[in-house]
Amino acid sequence: MATIDLIDLKKNYGNVQAVKGVNLTVADGELIVLVGPSGCGKSTLLRMVAGLETVTSGRIEIGGKDVVRAEPAERDIAMVFQNYALYPHMSVRGNLEYGLKNRGTPRAEIDRRVQDAADILEIGPLLERKPRQLSGGQRQRVAMGRAIVREPAAFLFDEPLSNLDAKLRVQMRVEIRRLQRRLKTTSLYVTHDQLEAMTLADRLVVMNGGLVEQIGTPIEVYDRPATLFVAGFIGSPPMNLIPAASLSGGENAEALQLGADTDIVGLRPDQLHLERPEGNALTLAGTVELLEPVGGESHLHVQIPGTEQPIILTVQGRPKLEEGDTITIYARPENIHPFNQQTGWRTDAS
Amino acid sequence: MQTKRTIFPNKLLPYALLAPQLAVTLIFFIWPAAQAVKSSFEREDPFGFRTTFIWFENYTRLFSEPGYLNSLTKTAIFAVSVTLLSMSLALLLAVAVNRVLKSNRTYTTLLVWPYAVAPVVVGILWWFMFNPTIGIAPYMLRGLGIDWNHRVDGNQAMILVVIAASWKQISYNFLFFVAGLQSVPQSLNEAAAIDGAGPFKRFWTIVFPLLSPTTFFLLIVNINYAMFDTFGLIDATTNGGPNQATNILVYKVYADGFLGLNIGSSAAQSVVLMLIVIALTAIQFRYIERRVQY
Ligand SMILES: Nc1ncnc2c1ncn2[C@@H]1O[C@H](COP(=O)(O)OP(=O)(O)OP(=O)(O)O)[C@@H](O)[C@H]1O
Ligand SMILES: [Mg+2]
C-alpha cells in the first residue's frame, strides 16, 4: 500500500519535451487514469514512474520514498504492458513465478500466491500452457496475474486493453475495476480511450502536449471541463464549441450571462433539448442537416446560422424529423460552458 | 494454398531454361560425386594401369589407420573450438552493439568486413601476423615469455588456425545475433527488469532462450564452416602440420589424394565427408521446417 507523488516531473528526449512538468498525488488505494491523445506523454510519464525511463528533472516518490534513482526492481511496482510482454518460452506458471523467484520468495509462498492469483483470475486450467497457446483475453489475464502475484505497492497499466476486441475490452475493464477495488492497490492506468477512462477512474488526469489539463473525478471533469481541450476531448459525441458572438442575439441575452472574456461557448450534445425547458433558456434555430439513429438514441446534426460546424445533439428515441426541417433547440443556462479562446481556460472557474 | 503458376506456350522452353543449371549441377557436382563413390570401392595399382574392385576395404582400412583417427580427433577439436570461439565472441559483440543503439550502424558495418575476405587471404593474413620470424604476434608474445613457433609446436599451430578461422566467422555470426537480438521485444526486458532480474539474469533467462533458434542455426552453419570451408586457410597457414597437428578431414582428403596420390583412400574419405554434410543438412532442414520451439 502506498501513495505516489510526482513533483514537477519533466522528461526531454533531445529537444523534444515529452513531459513538461507534471504534479500529481495518487492517494493510497486510488485508481488514477491518465488519458489524452496519442503522443501527449502518458506512456513516458508511466515509464518514468516504473523506472524504465530516466527523469530529466523533478521527483517521484512511492510510499513517501524518493525513487528517482532506484532501479525498476527496487520500486515495488508491477506493470501490465500493452502487448502483455509475457515471456514466450515460459509456461503461464513460469511467467507468474519469475518475479517471485527473482526475489527469493520461499517455494511454499510462491505456490500459494500463484494459486491465489490463478483462482482470482480463473486461469487455473491454463497454468501449464505457453503464452502462444492462449487467446488474447487469456494472455491479458496472465499479464494481470503476473502483476498481482507480486503484491506490489502499485500497479502501472499502459493501455492494457487496447489489443482486445470491443466486447472483451468491456468485460476486462469491469474485471480490472473489480480486482482493483478488491486488492485496494494504488494504480496508475494509461489509456487514450475516454470511455475506459471515465468508467475506471477514481480520478482522471487529462493530459495534452506533455502537460496536465485537468485532474478530477470523471463526473467533475465531465460536468466542468477546465479547458477547451478537455471539453472537446471528454464526452462522446464531443461538446459543441460555438463562437459566443453567434449566439448573443436578442432573446438569448438573458440566458447568456457571459463574462467579457468569454468568446467560446460549450454545449454538451446531451444537454440540448428539442422542448423548451422551464425558466430561462438559450434558444437556437437551425436546420436539420443529418439524422443518425444509433440504437436507443439519435444524433441530430443541426446547422445554425453564423457557425461553421453543425451542432450535434443527442435525443432519446427516434424523433420524427427529416433532413432539411427547421427546428429550435434549447439549453439550460447552467449547462452553458464559457471558455476563452486565447487562454483555452474556462472563464467561470470558481 | 494458392501458388503462382506460369503457363509456357512452348513445351520445350521450360526444359531449355532449366538446362544450364542442370548441366552445371550434373557436371560439377553429381558426376564427380559419383566418381568419388566409385573410386572409394576401388584400388588403383601404383602405375595407374589397373583398378580392382575391393568392396569396403578402403573404408575398413581408413578407420583402422591411426592417421585418419588422429585427423578425426583434430577435426572435432577444431570444429568445436571454432564454433564456440566465434559464436561466443560474436554474441558478446552483438549484445554490446545492441546496447549502443545509435551508433550501431558504424560498428555493424565494420564488424561485418572480415566476412568479405576469402579464406585463403585470411590464412595468409594470420600466417603473416604469427610468422615466427617476421610476425608481430610472436614478437609481442616473446615479451610475455611465450616462445611462439607454430611450425614446431602442434598445439600452437592448432590455436593459430582456430583463431584465424574464428576471426572470419565472427562477422557472420554477429550479423545473425544482432538480428536475433533486435527481434526480442524490448518490453520483455523491461518486464523482467521490473520482475527483479538484473542485466545478467535477464540475458540468461529471457534473451538467450529466445535467441535459441538463431543459436541453433548458427551452430550447424559454423560446424559446417569449420569442417569444410577452412581448406584454403589450412593450406595457407600450416599445411596440416606440424606432424599432422592441424590435418583436419578436408585437408587430409586433399593431401592424401593429390599429394599422396592414394586415390582410393582419398575417395573413401570424401564419401565420409559427404555423408557428414548430408547429415548436417538434414538436421538443418528439419529445424527450418519446425523451428526450435520455445
Ligand atoms: N525514446 C524516445 N525518443 C524520442 N522521443 C520520444 C521517445 N519516446 C517518446 N517520445 C516522444 O515523446 C512524446 C510522448 O510520447 P508517449 O509515448 O509518452 O506518448 P503517449 O501519450 O503514450 O501516446 P500513445 O497514446 O500513442 O501511446 C511523443 O511526442 C513521442 O514522439
Ligand atoms: Mg503510449
Side-chain angles (χ1 to χ4, degrees):
Chain A
M1 300 291 106
T3 56
I4 301 176
D5 294 279
L6 310 183
I7 301 133
D8 200 25
L9 197 59
K10 292 184 187 161
K11 175 73 190 183
N12 298 347
Y13 292 108
N15 43 24
V16 180
Q17 293 179 290
V19 176
K20 301 177 187 166
V22 168
N23 287 286
L24 174 68
T25 298
V26 188
D28 187 13
E30 191 178 28
L31 197 166
I32 290 263
V33 175
L34 296 170
V35 64
S38 187
C40 71
K42 310 177 295 283
S43 298
T44 307
L45 189 69
L46 195 75
R47 291 167 57 81
M48 281 195 282
V49 176
L52 300 174
E53 213 68 75
T54 56
V55 170
T56 304
S57 73
R59 263 185 312 150
I60 302 171
E61 293 179 1
I62 297 176
K65 222 172 54 205
D66 189 346
V67 293
V68 164
R69 307 238 164 276
E71 288 292 316
E74 298 159 4
R75 299 189 180 198
D76 198 16
I77 45 108
M79 184 155 167
V80 179
F81 292 81
Q82 178 172 359
N83 64 0
Y84 316 133
L86 299 177
Y87 312 124
H89 56 300
M90 297 182 194
S91 64
V92 169
R93 184 187 294 283
N95 268 278
L96 298 186
E97 287 178 350
Y98 187 72
L100 297 173
K101 277 190 191 158
N102 287 336
R103 286 179 165 74
T105 314
R107 188 73 240 177
E109 176 70 6
I110 293 181
D111 288 340
R112 183 189 67 73
R113 290 207 203 172
V114 168
Q115 199 51 52
D116 281 358
D119 289 345
I120 293 173
L121 294 163
E122 296 165 13
I123 50 173
L126 311 176
L127 280 177
E128 307 313 324
R129 292 208 204 161
K130 292 279 172 66
R132 74 188 131 80
Q133 299 165 314
L134 302 176
S135 70
Q138 290 168 334
R139 282 178 208 180
Q140 171 59 44
R141 276 164 207 270
V142 176
M144 294 282 304
R146 194 169 62 182
I148 67 176
V149 286
R150 294 253 322 278
E151 300 180 3
F155 290 143
L156 307 176
F157 299 88
D158 192 355
E159 310 204 16
L161 303 182
S162 56
N163 282 353
L164 299 178
D165 64 56
K167 199 171 157 210
L168 204 54
R169 198 177 311 168
V170 174
Q171 189 188 330
M172 287 307 295
R173 188 173 80 203
V174 175
E175 272 188 45
I176 290 180
R177 179 75 261 205
R178 215 167 29 217
L179 194 65
Q180 201 272 339
R181 285 270 148 82
R182 171 168 165 189
L183 302 171
K184 293 198 177 52
T185 308
T186 313
S187 304
L188 261 180
Y189 187 109
V190 163
T191 179
H192 60 244
D193 178 340
Q194 51 135 333
L195 186 63
E196 206 171 293
M198 295 288 284
T199 49
L200 273 175
D202 288 323
R203 282 192 300 152
L204 269 185
V205 175
V206 185
M207 287 186 68
N208 184 31
L211 285 170
V212 170
E213 294 264 338
Q214 186 172 9
I215 302 178
T217 65
I219 295 305
E220 277 167 18
V221 173
Y222 186 82
D223 285 350
R224 282 185 67 81
T227 66
L228 268 176
F229 173 80
V230 177
F233 189 76
I234 299 289
S236 170
M239 187 183 274
N240 300 294
L241 298 168
I242 312 158
S246 65
L247 301 179
S248 49
E251 59 170 317
N252 283 332
E254 214 165 320
L256 272 173
Q257 302 281 347
L258 301 176
D261 53 351
T262 302
D263 47 15
I264 298 270
V265 162
L267 299 167
R268 287 245 179 251
D270 57 346
Q271 293 172 339
L272 289 168
H273 312 281
L274 292 174
E275 293 91 39
R276 177 181 267 284
E278 309 264 308
N280 265 336
L282 179 71
T283 312
L284 300 168
T287 44
V288 177
E289 195 174 68
L290 184 66
L291 180 64
E292 292 179 314
V294 284
E297 52 182 38
S298 306
H299 297 162
L300 267 178
H301 297 235
V302 181
Q303 188 64 55
I304 306 282
T307 61
E308 279 172 29
Q309 294 282 322
I311 288 181
I312 300 174
L313 67 151
T314 325
V315 285
Q316 288 306 311
R318 285 142 219 176
K320 294 200 169 41
L321 287 171
E322 285 194 22
E323 286 156 22
D325 286 356
T326 310
I327 56 164
T328 312
I329 50 183
Y330 305 92
R332 289 202 176 87
E334 69 267 27
N335 291 336
I336 297 170
H337 303 265
F339 294 100
N340 181 276
Q341 174 93 66
Q342 210 74 53
T343 61
W345 289 94
R346 196 180 181 92
T347 52
D348 66 343
S350 39
Chain B
M1 197 175 60
Q2 197 100 38
T3 47
K4 221 183 196 157
R5 276 198 144 198
T6 315
I7 310 288
F8 288 99
N10 187 332
K11 282 254 162 14
L12 288 177
L13 183 61
Y15 298 100
L17 291 174
L18 276 176
Q21 181 64 50
L22 285 175
V24 167
T25 314
L26 271 174
I27 295 170
F28 292 103
F29 182 70
I30 307 281
W31 185 54
Q35 282 293 318
V37 174
K38 178 168 163 284
S39 314
S40 75
F41 293 111
E42 294 174 344
R43 176 164 46 215
E44 205 165 344
D45 71 28
F47 305 103
F49 291 145
R50 235 160 18 103
T51 49
T52 20
F53 191 78
I54 51 165
W55 286 105
F56 290 97
E57 208 183 307
N58 280 327
Y59 292 93
T60 48
R61 204 170 320 164
L62 199 58
F63 283 98
S64 56
E65 180 195 327
Y68 190 70
L69 298 179
N70 167 62
S71 177
L72 264 179
T73 324
K74 295 297 179 201
T75 308
I77 294 172
F78 179 70
V80 169
S81 312
V82 169
T83 304
L84 284 184
L85 188 66
S86 64
M87 282 181 68
S88 51
L89 283 179
L91 183 57
L92 207 70
L93 289 171
V95 169
V97 163
N98 202 39
R99 293 195 153 217
V100 205
L101 282 166
K102 277 211 180 120
S103 41
N104 73 2
R105 264 293 146 67
T106 332
Y107 283 123
T108 310
T109 313
L110 288 177
L111 284 165
V112 166
W113 278 353
Y115 190 61
V117 183
V120 186
V121 180
V122 173
I124 292 169
L125 193 79
W126 287 90
W127 172 85
F128 198 70
M129 282 201 286
F130 277 90
N131 189 303
T133 29
I134 55 167
I136 179 122
Y139 175 75
M140 293 196 296
L141 285 170
R142 248 193 307 280
L144 298 171
I146 299 168
D147 185 23
W148 182 274
N149 192 347
H150 64 256
R151 289 177 191 156
V152 184
D153 187 322
N155 288 335
Q156 289 185 353
M158 179 57 99
I159 291 172
L160 172 64
V161 289
V162 165
I163 291 177
S166 306
W167 177 75
K168 179 178 155 54
Q169 199 61 9
I170 285 173
S171 308
Y172 183 87
N173 297 343
F174 166 79
L175 271 189
F176 276 85
F177 275 134
V178 166
L181 283 172
Q182 299 207 325
S183 69
V184 174
Q186 185 53 22
S187 60
L188 289 185
N189 245 315
E190 295 175 346
I194 291 175
D195 264 344
F200 229 64
K201 182 142 199 188
R202 287 206 290 279
F203 181 78
W204 288 115
T205 54
I206 308 290
V207 178
F208 192 70
L210 294 180
L211 273 183
S212 64
T214 308
T215 311
F216 183 74
F217 167 78
L218 286 178
L219 204 65
I220 303 286
V221 168
N222 279 278
I223 292 174
N224 243 321
Y225 161 80
M227 289 183 70
F228 307 107
D229 284 351
T230 44
F231 168 79
L233 191 146
I234 303 269
D235 195 43
T237 46
T238 62
N239 289 315
N243 193 20
Q244 313 277 314
T246 55
N247 198 7
I248 63 168
L249 291 174
V250 259
Y251 197 77
K252 190 170 160 60
V253 170
Y254 160 79
D256 288 0
F258 292 91
L259 305 179
L261 290 177
N262 188 347
I263 302 295
S265 171
S266 175
Q269 289 178 36
S270 47
V271 171
V272 172
L273 275 180
M274 232 179 323
L275 292 177
I276 296 175
V277 178
I278 289 169
L280 283 173
T281 313
I283 294 173
Q284 195 170 335
F285 268 120
R286 274 184 70 99
Y287 142 77
I288 284 169
E289 262 164 33
R290 10 165 243 112
R291 304 169 56 90
V292 171
Q293 294 283 345
Y294 54 68

